[in-house]
Amino acid sequence: MQWIKSIFREVFGLFVDDGSFALAVLVWIGVIWVLWQRFHLAIPGGIILFAGLGGILIESVVRFSRRSATNSIQN
């Protein structure tokens, strides 16, 4: 049974490098979808979606660079 879990982790790792980044993207897309379904906002959805995804990407890069800098200092 352990080999099945190992295979699943390897396949998942091929597509998802940072789980928190992937989760944040999915949550953001869900939030935008709910807002447009519920409130029918007049602002173009693409702009808000793009801005949010850009913010998530920037946060992920900053977090990764801090982690890399800490690891390089310790080594």
Side-chain angles (χ1 to χ4, degrees), residues 9-41:
R9 280 191 205 121
E10 289 295 324
V11 170
F12 184 75
L14 288 173
F15 299 102
V16 178
D17 186 37
D18 184 2
S20 61
F21 174 72
L23 182 63
V25 168
L26 291 175
V27 167
W28 181 247
I29 290 172
V31 165
I32 295 300
W33 182 77
V34 167
L35 288 175
W36 261 262
Q37 292 296 319
R38 188 159 183 107
F39 299 112
H40 304 289
L41 300 175

Side-chain angles (χ1 to χ4, degrees), residues 1-15:
M1 194 58 134
Q2 184 66 25
W3 62 275
I4 293 175
K5 290 180 184 178
S6 177
I7 290 173
F8 179 73
R9 280 191 205 121
E10 289 295 324
V11 170
F12 184 75
L14 288 173
F15 299 102

Side-chain angles (χ1 to χ4, degrees), residues 28-70:
W28 181 247
I29 290 172
V31 165
I32 295 300
W33 182 77
V34 167
L35 288 175
W36 261 262
Q37 292 296 319
R38 188 159 183 107
F39 299 112
H40 304 289
L41 300 175
I43 301 170
I47 294 171
I48 294 176
L49 181 65
F50 181 77
L53 292 175
I56 291 169
L57 179 62
I58 290 169
E59 185 275 331
S60 178
V61 168
V62 168
R63 185 170 26 98
F64 182 77
S65 66
R66 285 183 185 159
R67 188 176 358 156
S68 295
T70 303

